[in-house]
């Protein structure tokens, strides 16, 4: 067995784009029985592919005499949407106390991407032996869960009859919220704004992650301190109290919670001291701040469509100078872009059937120009099976079309937008559409394209544009609203930025994974932004 131990404990493998951590739970069923006098004693080893080699990340405990183990030890992995993270789960029957895997009997293995697991939430697959044959009736079940507390707390606070601290006027009160730190000292979590010249302040509602406020523990004590603001930084202490989030949650819009603000020094000195004012919790709400992975684990499918530029400026595909020329290695910049994006997104679409459309070519038999045609020449069924299917249809159509023009984007954008609009009628976070347009040049229908993008920004849809060749792509940068809001020719603003433009020439001499990271970096955020804007939680979400 070609398994190697890592030279040092393998840390999180990946990049700065890490979205979050995923916990994988492993169960085995009907494992091979390798022991003569008793049943197998299985344990599971997790490997990740790093630079073409399998590196061991972690192992479960050993389940004694058990052919149907449910392992208590979980695997925790950093999840990167924009990378293909290949995993291998190998099961062994423990025979000796050795850490060397070749000392133990092999029970079977299963390989897949992390994307495959999270897009299904739970998968059950057959285990295979080293020769690719089934390991008896052995099966493995892998379940994924996001390891993050995505709850946020929103508090509306006010004060009443706070102590007057300024000689010539009233106080300028603000609140500070603290939680106990690991060192036993109070740690500042949040500071409200200052309300000037009042003893009865009403602060703006604010939202903080529950993990920040109380480490996610509703019963943990937190401290709230009230100060009178001083411009020189020597703020005067008004009073404080300790409470818990569980207690704060007793506040309802109709019945606010009132807590006494106490100054311990005054309390000791004055016998008839009551308090230094009342802090009022007007409302306290805990909600979930859903992440991209929450939506994927909830069952949201990413619907992928490719749009390919077949205009004459690309050059004759028979000539090596053409951007559509397929070189002896079987690739070109169009194919590289399709592979880079498609191999990531295909994990998030259960049927892996992708529409592939072309524009800017004359089509047989009447040689009319089309800006929206199925590259498999089947308009009723433009779907290709997986990324390989798109590549095959692309290669097959090249000899049968005439490159022409102009470079019109709007028909393909509107084509995908029609399907995205249909999906909104379900009123669930079940589908999000991604259009990859690969083009060599300047857009001819800029006004119509701007209008189409602005309309699409209201839909569950993102557009990725990869510019191939060495043309001037200034207009593409204009569509990518990173620096300014895109407007339609009617003056209407885009609701959100949905276009990501990347020039392929910046990625010619770097690993192909780098293109995928650059192209897909903004997509998780765009998915979350759309569904939040529509107030749509993940399909299978739990209440906060």
């Amino acid at each position: 067995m070609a398994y190697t131990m890592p030279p040092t404990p393998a840390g999180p493998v990946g990049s700065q784009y890490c979205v979050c951590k995923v916990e994988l739970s492993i169960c085995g069923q009907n494992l091979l029985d390798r022991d003569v006098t008793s049943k197998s004693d299985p344990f599971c080893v997790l490997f990740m592919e790093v630079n073409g080699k399998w590196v061991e990340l972690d192992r479960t405990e050993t389940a004694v005499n058990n052919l149907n183990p449910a392992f208590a030890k979980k695997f925790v992995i950093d999840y990167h949407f924009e990378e293909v993270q290949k995993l291998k789960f190998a099961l062994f029957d423990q025979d000796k106390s050795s850490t060397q895997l070749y000392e133990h009997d092999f029970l079977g293995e299963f390989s897949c991407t992390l994307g495959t697991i999270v897009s299904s939430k739970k998968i059950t697959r057959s285990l295979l032996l080293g020769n690719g044959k089934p390991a008896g009736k052995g099966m493995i079940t892998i379940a994924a869960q996001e390891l993050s507390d995505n709850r946020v707390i929103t508090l509306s606070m006010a004060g009443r009859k706070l102590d007057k601290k300024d000689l010539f006027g009233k106080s300028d009160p603000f609140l500070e919220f603290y939680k106990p730190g690991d060192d036993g000292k109070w740690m500042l979590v949040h500071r409200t704004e200052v309300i000037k010249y009042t003893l009865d302040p009403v602060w703006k509602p604010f939202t903080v992650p529950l993990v920040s406020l109380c480490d996610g523990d509703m019963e943990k004590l937190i401290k709230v301190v009230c100060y009178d603001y001083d411009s020189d930084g020597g703020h005067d202490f008004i009073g404080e109290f300790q409470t818990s989030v569980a207690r704060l949650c007793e506040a309802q819009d109709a019945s606010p919670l009132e807590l006494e603000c106490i100054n311990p020094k005054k309390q000791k000195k004055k016998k008839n001291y009551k308090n230094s004012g009342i802090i009022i919790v007007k409302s306290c709400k805990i909600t979930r701040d859903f992440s991209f992975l929450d939506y994927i684990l909830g069952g949201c499918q990413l619907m992928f469509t490719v749009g390919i530029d077949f205009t004459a400026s690309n050059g004759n595909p028979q000539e090596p100078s053409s951007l559509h020329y397929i070189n002896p290695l079987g690739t070109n910049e169009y194919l590289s872009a399709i592979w880079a994006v498609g191999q990531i997104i295909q994990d998030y679409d259960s049927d892996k059937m992708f529409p592939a459309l072309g524009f800017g070519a004359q089509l047989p038999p009447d040689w009319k120009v089309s800006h929206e045609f199925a590259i498999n020449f089947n308009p009723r069924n433009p779907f290709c099976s997986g990324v390989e299917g798109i590549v095959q249809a692309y290669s097959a159509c090249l000899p049968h079309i005439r490159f022409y023009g102009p470079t019109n984007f709007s028909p393909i954008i509107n084509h995908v937008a029609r399907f995205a609009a249909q999906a909104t009628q379900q009123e669930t976070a079940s589908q999000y559409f991604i259009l990859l347009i690969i083009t060599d040049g300047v857009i001819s229908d800029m006004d119509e394209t701007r209008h189409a993008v602005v309309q699409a920004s209201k839909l569950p849809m993102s557009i990725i544009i990869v510019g191939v060749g060495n043309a001037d792509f200034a207009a593409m940068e204009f569509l990518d609203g990173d620096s300014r809001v895109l407007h339609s020719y009617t003056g209407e603003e885009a609701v959100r930025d949905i276009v990501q433009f990347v020039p392929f020439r910046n990625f010619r001499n770097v690993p192909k994974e780098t293109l995928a990271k650059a192209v897909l970096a903004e997509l998780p955020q765009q998915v979350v932004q759309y569904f939040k804007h529509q107030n749509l939680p993940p399909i299978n979400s739990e209440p906060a």
Side-chain angles (χ1 to χ4, degrees), residues 69 139 276 333 349-350 416 445:
M139 309 285 281
S276 294
E333 292 191 0
D349 185 326
S350 55
V416 175
D445 64 337

Side-chain angles (χ1 to χ4, degrees), residues 196-267:
K196 291 276 193 180
Y197 315 121
T198 181
L199 302 180
D200 304 298
V202 178
W203 290 282
K204 288 178 188 167
F206 66 91
T207 301
V208 291
L210 200 59
V211 169
S212 299
L213 185 59
C214 62
D215 298 326
D217 180 353
M218 310 266 282
E219 303 299 333
K220 180 174 276 195
L221 274 184
I222 58 173
K223 183 166 76 168
V224 182
V225 186
C226 186
Y227 288 100
D228 167 36
Y229 173 81
D230 250 325
S231 56
D232 65 1
H235 310 307
D236 295 318
F237 175 70
I238 293 176
E240 66 183 26
F241 60 89
Q242 291 186 18
T243 183
S244 67
V245 171
R247 178 97 168 92
L248 295 178
C249 285
E250 292 172 18
Q252 300 297 328
D253 290 335
S255 57
L257 176 68
E258 299 195 349
L259 297 157
E260 287 187 303
C261 197
I262 302 296
N263 182 328
K265 284 184 182 174
K266 280 190 176 183
Q267 196 176 36

Side-chain angles (χ1 to χ4, degrees), residues 337-446:
I338 291 168
W339 274 115
V341 180
Q343 68 174 348
I344 304 284
I345 292 180
Q346 69 176 350
D347 283 343
Y348 299 87
D349 185 326
S350 55
D351 68 3
K352 298 187 178 15
M353 297 298 290
F354 307 122
L357 307 172
F359 60 93
Q362 294 175 318
L363 304 186
D366 52 8
W367 304 107
K368 282 186 180 167
V369 177
S370 174
H371 297 291
E372 182 193 341
F373 65 91
I375 65 171
N376 65 0
F377 299 117
N378 186 348
R380 288 187 179 174
N381 184 11
F383 296 92
C384 302
S385 178
V387 183
E388 294 91 343
I390 298 173
V391 170
Q392 286 164 10
Y394 165 79
S395 304
C397 88
L398 283 174
H400 301 291
I401 58 176
R402 290 180 190 161
F403 290 17
Y404 204 69
T407 307
N408 290 355
F409 276 19
S410 60
I412 277 185
I413 294 172
N414 290 329
H415 174 100
V416 175
R418 284 194 292 275
F419 290 95
Q422 284 175 7
T424 61
Q425 292 167 13
Q426 297 175 35
E427 295 185 352
T428 59
S430 55
Q431 290 182 323
Y432 193 92
F433 290 77
I434 295 144
L435 170 60
L436 169 65
I437 298 176
I438 314 169
T439 182
D440 82 316
V442 181
I443 302 173
S444 308
D445 64 337
M446 193 59 181

Side-chain angles (χ1 to χ4, degrees), residues 39-60:
K39 295 190 170 95
S40 290
D41 306 323
F43 64 97
C44 183
V45 184
L46 172 63
F47 298 88
M48 180 180 272
E49 189 178 272
V50 182
N51 300 325
K53 292 181 180 170
W54 289 112
V55 175
E56 180 179 338
L57 294 189
D58 207 351
R59 300 182 181 193
T60 65

Side-chain angles (χ1 to χ4, degrees), residues 36-250:
V36 179
T37 54
S38 62
K39 295 190 170 95
S40 290
D41 306 323
F43 64 97
C44 183
V45 184
L46 172 63
F47 298 88
M48 180 180 272
E49 189 178 272
V50 182
N51 300 325
K53 292 181 180 170
W54 289 112
V55 175
E56 180 179 338
L57 294 189
D58 207 351
R59 300 182 181 193
T60 65
E61 78 282 11
T62 298
V64 179
N65 286 340
N66 194 340
L67 301 182
N68 299 284
F71 297 106
K73 167 82 181 280
K74 313 293 185 191
F75 294 135
V76 177
I77 304 178
D78 286 345
Y79 166 73
H80 306 266
F81 165 71
E82 69 299 322
E83 292 179 17
V84 175
Q85 293 176 274
K86 288 185 182 167
L87 304 178
K88 173 150 61 183
F89 302 84
L91 286 128
F92 295 87
D93 171 23
Q94 180 160 350
D95 281 338
K96 305 184 178 91
S97 57
S98 170
T99 58
Q100 299 297 324
L101 292 176
Y102 63 79
E103 299 271 10
H104 307 285
D105 291 327
F106 179 56
L107 299 176
E109 66 186 20
F110 167 67
S111 303
C112 68
T113 62
L114 183 55
T116 301
I117 301 168
V118 298
S119 65
S120 304
K121 197 170 186 181
K122 187 176 186 179
I123 60 172
T124 300
R125 298 287 187 273
S126 297
L127 290 167
L128 301 176
L129 297 172
N131 58 10
K133 291 184 177 173
K137 294 179 180 176
M139 309 285 281
I140 187 170
T141 298
I142 307 158
Q145 184 176 353
E146 182 174 2
L147 265 196
S148 68
D149 188 336
N150 58 14
R151 292 173 296 172
V152 293
I153 182 168
T154 302
L155 287 164
S156 294
M157 311 287 289
R160 186 173 72 240
K161 294 184 179 174
L162 298 178
D163 280 0
K164 178 169 172 272
K165 288 289 182 181
D166 294 347
L167 281 173
F168 305 105
K170 297 179 178 177
S171 293
D172 307 319
F174 67 94
L175 297 177
E176 289 187 340
F177 290 74
Y178 292 82
K179 71 176 177 183
D182 294 335
D183 56 1
K185 295 175 183 171
W186 289 103
M187 186 172 120
L188 179 64
V189 172
H190 181 76
R191 182 183 289 122
T192 68
E193 78 280 16
V194 176
I195 307 291
K196 291 276 193 180
Y197 315 121
T198 181
L199 302 180
D200 304 298
V202 178
W203 290 282
K204 288 178 188 167
F206 66 91
T207 301
V208 291
L210 200 59
V211 169
S212 299
L213 185 59
C214 62
D215 298 326
D217 180 353
M218 310 266 282
E219 303 299 333
K220 180 174 276 195
L221 274 184
I222 58 173
K223 183 166 76 168
V224 182
V225 186
C226 186
Y227 288 100
D228 167 36
Y229 173 81
D230 250 325
S231 56
D232 65 1
H235 310 307
D236 295 318
F237 175 70
I238 293 176
E240 66 183 26
F241 60 89
Q242 291 186 18
T243 183
S244 67
V245 171
R247 178 97 168 92
L248 295 178
C249 285
E250 292 172 18

